[in-house]
Amino acid sequence: MSLIEINDLKVHYPIRGGFWNRIVDNVKAVDGVTFNIEAGETYGLVGESGSGKSTTAKAIIGLEKATSGTVMYKGKDVTKGENRRKLDYNHDVQMIFQDSLSSLNPRKRIEDVIAEPLRNFEHLDKEEEKLRVLQLLDIVGLDADALYKYPHQFSGGQRQRIGVARAVATHPKLIIADEPVSALDLSVQAQVLNFMKKIQRQFGISYLFISHDLGVVRHMCKNIAIMTRGRIVEVGTRDDIYNNPMHIYTKRLLAAIPETNVNHREEHRKHRLEIEKIYQEQQATYYDKDGMAFPLVKVSPTHSVALPPHLAKEFEQQSENEGVNV
Amino acid sequence: MKRDIEDVTSISAADLEKLSKEAAAEATPSRAKIMWGEFKADKPAMASLFILIFFILFVIVASMFINTPKMMETNLMGYYAKPFTPEYWLGADSGGRSIAKELIVGSRNSISIAIGLTIISSTFGICWGLISGYYGGMVDLAMQRVYDFMMIIPMLMTIIVIVTIIPHYNAITLTLILSIFYWMGTSRLIRSRTLAESQKDYVAASKTSGTGNLKIIFREIMPNISSLIIVDTTLSFAENIGVETGLSFLGFGLPMGTPSLGTLIANANDPENITGYWWTWFPAALEIIVLCLSISYIGQVMRRATNAAQRRGKQQD
């Protein structure tokens, strides 16, 4: 059984207007997202800005109200606040934020920042709590002298590690990492990512890793979902996505990864332009008339793609035939 | 679960004392220290602080030794007595009452009312603004309509009417009546900052850490708008001295027989007093100017202390 199951999650924001301030339309930030996160794995959620990745994450952790759909954890729907409280949900599910500075209260010392979840969930006495904070600081590679400092006295990488320390403090089962390294420079990115991996091995934590950096996602994640305009367009293992992308949006996204090999610069450029051309040509067929992606179709046991209806039919027949063969 | 964390780190209970000492040595200076450094760097503010503290203590202590009802008795022998005489340091008014004594008791009354009014109205305004801004939505809508309603009431007129129709009132009831009408400005100011502040990630982080709403409001958000609160509170204290004084000047403040800075300044209503008997109103007017200036100097220093970019004191971190 999966650790957490997200089923047809929707988050719509009403647009109000007209006389009486009625709801005239909805912004479909997240529109029917379904995926499962297994225990101990890293699940990647990739997409451009405004594709609804962060909103999905916030709806899962309970910061954003879900319009419809369920998030099942331990057999309970945790989109309801009541269930979250009953399960001590935030004891098991924590979050790492993108902006390390604004996610740490500038008026609190590091000790209080890291101890906050401990105070709410574990109720240790003062000595034990301080010891635990020191141990957490040690795990994230910071010295004990950080204890009484304020967040602004640290560098970006150190701050993000403090954020990680806070997230692992209660020993959660799932950490939602909302673009945890996109505000950091490359060397620090590697540092924080490796360190997140190390913690995962040690504690068996699952991550929901949100990013728009495909290189980082490749390094971190086993399963990946590509999101655009509030819907998932392609789901698969790392191999499926990187070696056999089927949706034009995924192809375009992959083509956008910068190549460091300057010798083949012209070829890469040609390749990119080709993909872009295909994208512009086929855009109309891959999205429905409202500009939304089509429902997902299974193309292999691990791989699903939001294919347009005519291609989808082909695959369905194919899989039926295979079913008969088996 | 605890074992897991201990498996990964070499730190154990034995190191606790050593490490906390290390941490304490590197600790950032406290807010109080920073504020004191800031006062030391600004001489006028330092002088203002001492003037204000000394003056408030002086009028409170000195007024204990003054028998107010006796002081307020009319004494024909002292009719407009000149100042700087052994019996009347600052002269006397038309009733032969010592201006010096009236000034001390009056200052105590006025300042106590201003302090009480500031505490009550600011506390209420801050809570109102914080809660309204943090919860937003329907709560905000309802609370802001109450605010709007209070704003459209003509404040001064209503206070005068209430004071006139209440048969017996004293300094405390007057403070409470004034408090009803002086919390709105603060609440709106605090609400606007809270709206911005509650969208920040650290509030979301607190929520995911399982902290309750009230604790987030008062322990997370409030410290972050403390600079605004401090500045607003000091300035409204200066303003509130004026509120009671103004009412008493108009004759609707403290009941007859209770001296206040306002009643002393009201002596200036008589043109003859302005030209001939300046000592009846001048000391009180001077006192109000000095007090308000001091408070605004102190407010400036406090604002600078809470904003690292504006500090003038020695850098301590």
Side-chain angles (χ1 to χ4, degrees), chain A residues 102 105 107-108 116 120 138, chain B residues 9 202 206 211 220 223-224 226:
Chain A
S102 83
N105 190 337
R107 280 293 154 80
K108 281 167 79 178
E116 191 179 353
N120 287 324
D138 183 52
Chain B
T9 156
Y202 71 81
S206 280
T211 310
E220 307 276 329
N224 275 293
S226 59

Side-chain angles (χ1 to χ4, degrees), chain A residues 18 38 57 66 85 117 123 162 168 246 253 262 268 282:
Chain A
E38 308 295 328
R85 271 191 296 280
H123 308 292
I162 291 166
V168 296
M246 294 185 67
L253 209 58
V262 276
H268 293 316
Q282 300 189 355

Side-chain angles (χ1 to χ4, degrees), chain A residues 61 63 90-91 93-95 97 99 102-109 116-117 120-122 127-128 130-132 134-136 138-139 144-145 147-150 152-153 166 168-171 202-203, chain B residues 1-2 4-6 8-13 16 19-20 22-24 26-31 200-212 215 219-221 223-227 306 317:
Chain A
I61 203 164
L63 286 173
N90 285 127
H91 183 273
V93 178
Q94 278 285 331
M95 188 156 178
F97 293 86
D99 185 347
S102 83
S103 71
L104 304 175
N105 190 337
R107 280 293 154 80
K108 281 167 79 178
R109 294 174 191 269
E116 191 179 353
N120 287 324
F121 293 119
E122 310 244 320
E127 292 285 300
E128 275 178 343
K130 196 184 233 176
L131 180 63
R132 181 76 82 83
L134 282 168
Q135 286 170 341
L136 285 163
D138 183 52
I139 293 173
D145 59 326
L147 204 58
Y148 297 128
K149 285 186 174 163
Y150 288 95
H152 71 265
Q153 292 169 301
R166 170 173 62 189
V168 296
T170 53
H171 202 284
Q202 281 159 348
F203 298 142
Chain B
M1 175 151 82
K2 187 154 177 267
D4 275 310
I5 286 177
E6 273 171 1
V8 187
T9 156
S10 54
I11 292 180
S12 65
L16 181 61
L19 287 174
S20 18
E22 250 176 59
E26 290 283 328
T28 321
S30 69
R31 302 275 306 283
K200 288 193 177 165
D201 275 350
Y202 71 81
V203 176
S206 280
K207 282 183 193 163
T208 61
S209 299
T211 310
K215 210 171 167 193
R219 301 293 295 278
E220 307 276 329
I221 294 177
N224 275 293
I225 56 173
S226 59
S227 58
T306 51
D317 51 35

Side-chain angles (χ1 to χ4, degrees), chain A residues 13-34:
Chain A
Y13 298 111
I15 302 170
R16 288 174 183 278
F19 205 61
W20 295 126
N21 219 11
R22 279 165 310 180
I23 297 169
V24 290
D25 202 358
N26 280 304
V27 176
K28 294 176 178 172
V30 179
D31 194 38
V33 164
T34 304

Side-chain angles (χ1 to χ4, degrees), chain A residues 112-130:
Chain A
D112 300 320
V113 169
I114 298 179
E116 191 179 353
L118 295 174
R119 283 174 191 160
N120 287 324
F121 293 119
E122 310 244 320
H123 308 292
L124 305 167
D125 66 41
K126 265 202 136 66
E127 292 285 300
E128 275 178 343
E129 182 191 286
K130 196 184 233 176

